[in-house]
């Protein structure tokens, strides 16, 4: 038996497995265009708020107009009491509320500091952050206008007053994710996890036993290391194509900015796909039935998303969970890809993740070979039974 024969057998088995083809091509195409849809707008804008204007002065009405002009906010309701505004908040008719206190205008004229009260629905972090940011920005702008007006009344030239109203000027710039959008932040990392999980499922559907209590029978005719090598090469080739589609075509389609060169991305993809293929073959070898591959892939998806370090900082994740996550190829791949492709790091700066992936690839390849060899050697009778029931 030659390499070419084994390659042909494995390729025919892949093409004949409808569940595998549906997972790889149907699933990846569906996720590519379905998952990003809720985040197309990047950030929530025009969030509805309720205003309680207890002052009713010219200045309070000016503040309401300024709030309504802010692109982050929309004054959808003006009510007379906090209880009424709270009810609107509970019913989700508004996302936040602003309370302008009584004697707001008088206190401003007398040089006092009236307190503006904000509240927001923190059930959605992005919505809450948008409302608080919009209200804080607007109130700070009004406060600056009042200070400049007082300085002008005191005889300070308006041009000078506009620069002296505050002892400190704040210049806030996002170092990364300059759009500060959800799409740029989450989608590139989630795509890596999707590739990882579907590859686990695909190899599980291919390499797992089709009948309970049986073992793969390929080991009777080919050495275990040849089988693992050919399977790895085939699935790496398939997923190299799909990864190029995700990282190249789909990210460009959604306008997600990326910094890394094609060569650097491919260098990082190779150990990632090899390590994931090896891990998948290890998992497939211990599954009682190949149908369990989908269950394992679905059940591990969310934990992997949360442990990869892009939803929650790695430093805030408990150490035991971080150690377990280091065994999953998706984590170093997500970290390396985000640093290189979204944050502009050079390939030398992600060398740790690159080495990590190669170590995982070598370990899982060796482990998958050992498991397959052991199964072939320890269960000759089972292999014969499998050969009779399952064609090559």
């Amino acid at each position: 038996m030659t390499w070419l024969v084994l390659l042909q057998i494995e390729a025919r088995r892949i093409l004949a497995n409808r569940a595998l083809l549906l997972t790889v091509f149907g699933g990846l195409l569906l996720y590519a265009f379905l998952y990003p849809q809720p985040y197309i707008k990047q950030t929530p804008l025009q969030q509805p708020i309720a205003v309680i204007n207890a002052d009713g002065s010219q200045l309070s009405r000016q503040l309401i107009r300024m709030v309504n002009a802010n692109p982050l906010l929309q004054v959808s309701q003006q009510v007379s009491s906090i209880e009424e505004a709270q009810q609107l908040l509970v019913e989700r008719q508004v996302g936040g509320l602003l309370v302008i206190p009584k004697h707001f205008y008088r206190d401003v004229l007398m040089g006092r500091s009236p307190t503006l009260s904000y509240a927001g629905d923190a059930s959605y972090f992005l919505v809450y952050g948008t409302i608080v940011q919009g209200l804080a920005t607007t109130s700070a702008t009004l406060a600056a206008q009042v200070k400049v007006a007082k300085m002008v009344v005191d005889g300070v030239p308006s041009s000078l007053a506009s620069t002296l109203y505050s002892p400190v000027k704040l210049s806030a710039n996002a170092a990364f994710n300059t759009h500060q959008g959800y799409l740029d932040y989450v989608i590139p990392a989630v795509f890596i996890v999707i590739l990882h999980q579907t590859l686990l499922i695909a190899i599980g559907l291919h390499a797992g036993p089709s009948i309970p209590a049986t073992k793969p029978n390929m080991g009777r005719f080919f050495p275990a290391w040849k089988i693992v090598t050919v399977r790895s090469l085939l699935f790496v080739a398939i997923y190299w194509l799909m990864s190029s589609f995700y990282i190249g075509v789909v990210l460009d389609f959604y306008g997600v900015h990326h910094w890394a060169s094609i060569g650097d991305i491919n260098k990082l993809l190779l150990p990632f796909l090899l390590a994931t293929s090896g891990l998948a073959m290890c998992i497939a070898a211990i599954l009682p039935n190949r149908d369990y591959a989908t269950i394992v892939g679905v059940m591990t998806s969310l934990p992997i998303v949360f442990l990869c370090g892009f939803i929650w900082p790695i430093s805030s994740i408990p150490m035991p969970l971080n150690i377990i996550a280091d065994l999953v190829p998706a984590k170093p791949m997500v970290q390396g890809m985000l640093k290189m492709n979204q944050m502009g790091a050079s390939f030398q700066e992600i060398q740790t993740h690159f080495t990590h992936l190669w170590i995982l690839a070598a370990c899982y390849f060796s482990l998958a070979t050992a498991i397959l060899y052991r199964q072939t050697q320890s269960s000759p009778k089972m292999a014969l039974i499998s050969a009779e029931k399952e064609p090559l």
Side-chain angles (χ1 to χ4, degrees):
M1 297 290 185
T2 64
W3 286 94
L4 184 59
V5 173
L6 179 57
L7 190 67
Q8 290 174 343
I9 293 172
E10 288 291 295
R12 280 202 297 268
R13 291 186 62 205
I14 291 173
L15 294 175
N17 192 330
R18 293 182 181 178
L20 186 156
L21 295 178
L22 182 63
T23 300
V24 174
F25 297 104
L28 285 177
L29 285 174
L30 180 66
Y31 275 124
F33 295 102
L34 178 64
Y35 186 82
Q37 291 306 314
Y39 316 112
I40 287 292
K41 293 183 178 179
Q42 295 271 18
T43 54
L45 300 174
Q46 293 290 303
Q47 293 303 304
I49 66 168
V51 175
I52 303 102
N53 186 3
D55 190 49
S57 64
Q58 178 185 356
L59 188 63
S60 64
R61 290 193 291 273
Q62 180 184 346
L63 175 60
I64 294 173
R65 288 194 296 273
M66 291 174 66
V67 169
N68 208 27
N70 192 311
L72 301 179
L73 304 170
Q74 179 185 12
V75 179
S76 60
Q77 305 269 358
Q78 291 197 45
V79 296
S80 57
S81 67
I82 292 179
E83 290 75 16
E84 192 175 351
Q86 287 176 332
Q87 185 61 34
L88 293 173
L89 195 62
V90 170
E91 296 174 355
R92 296 282 173 90
Q93 295 187 39
V94 296
L97 57 92
L98 166 65
V99 180
I100 303 175
K102 194 174 182 181
H103 306 310
F104 174 69
Y105 185 38
R106 185 197 67 184
D107 290 345
V108 169
L109 290 179
M110 295 179 68
R112 298 173 181 170
S113 299
T115 301
L116 292 173
S117 300
Y118 313 147
D121 182 3
S123 301
Y124 300 99
F125 287 160
L126 286 177
V127 171
Y128 178 75
T130 299
I131 291 174
V132 171
Q133 180 187 354
L135 291 174
T137 304
T138 306
S139 59
T141 302
L142 180 64
Q145 289 180 357
V146 171
K147 288 181 181 177
V148 170
K150 285 184 176 179
M151 293 173 73
V152 171
V153 171
D154 293 339
V156 179
S158 59
S159 58
L160 182 60
S162 61
T163 60
L164 296 178
Y165 70 90
S166 174
V168 177
K169 286 189 176 180
L170 177 64
S171 177
N173 294 293
F176 308 110
N177 186 15
T178 53
H179 295 141
Q180 300 186 48
Y182 201 72
L183 191 70
D184 287 350
Y185 167 64
V186 167
I187 295 301
V190 169
F191 277 1
I192 298 298
V193 176
I194 291 173
L195 291 167
H196 182 272
Q197 292 305 102
T198 55
L199 181 52
L200 288 182
I201 295 173
I203 292 185
L205 292 171
H206 176 76
S210 59
I211 303 172
T214 65
K215 302 288 190 298
N217 54 23
M218 298 286 289
R220 292 195 303 125
F221 308 101
F222 301 96
W225 68 273
K226 273 192 175 181
I227 298 173
V228 173
T229 301
V230 168
R231 284 177 180 170
S232 296
L233 292 177
L234 280 172
F235 280 97
V236 166
I238 294 171
Y239 267 77
W240 203 310
L241 178 66
M242 300 310 296
S243 299
S244 301
F245 171 69
Y246 261 54
I247 298 172
V249 178
V250 180
L251 290 186
D252 276 348
F253 176 78
Y254 288 113
V256 177
H257 187 74
H258 50 86
W259 295 87
S261 67
I262 295 176
D264 287 343
I265 292 174
N266 284 329
K267 277 197 291 186
L268 195 61
L269 270 176
L270 179 59
F272 165 65
L273 295 178
L274 286 172
T276 308
S277 299
L279 173 61
M281 281 185 271
C282 294
I283 295 173
I286 60 176
L287 291 178
N289 190 306
R290 66 179 56 173
D291 295 337
Y292 283 81
T294 304
I295 299 174
V296 172
V298 171
M299 288 182 63
T300 56
S301 293
L302 272 182
I304 289 176
V305 166
F306 288 115
L307 291 176
C308 279
F310 65 96
I311 297 292
W312 192 252
I314 290 178
S315 57
S316 300
I317 297 175
M319 182 60 70
L321 294 179
N322 262 326
I323 294 174
I324 295 173
D326 284 338
L327 302 176
V328 180
K331 181 185 174 183
M333 182 63 187
V334 166
Q335 291 294 316
M337 184 62 81
L338 286 183
K339 290 177 183 176
M340 188 174 66
N341 208 30
Q342 311 306 129
M343 301 167 72
S346 66
F347 197 82
Q348 287 71 28
E349 291 172 306
I350 63 155
Q351 194 66 39
T352 303
H353 305 301
F354 184 62
T355 305
H356 185 173
L357 285 169
W358 273 117
I359 292 173
L360 289 179
C363 291
Y364 286 134
F365 180 89
S366 303
L367 185 59
T369 303
I371 293 174
L372 189 59
Y373 176 78
R374 181 181 174 82
Q375 287 180 342
T376 304
Q377 296 298 315
S378 62
S379 304
K381 291 183 179 180
M382 191 63 70
L384 289 173
I385 293 172
S386 177
E388 293 172 357
K389 294 184 176 180
E390 184 180 5
L392 288 176

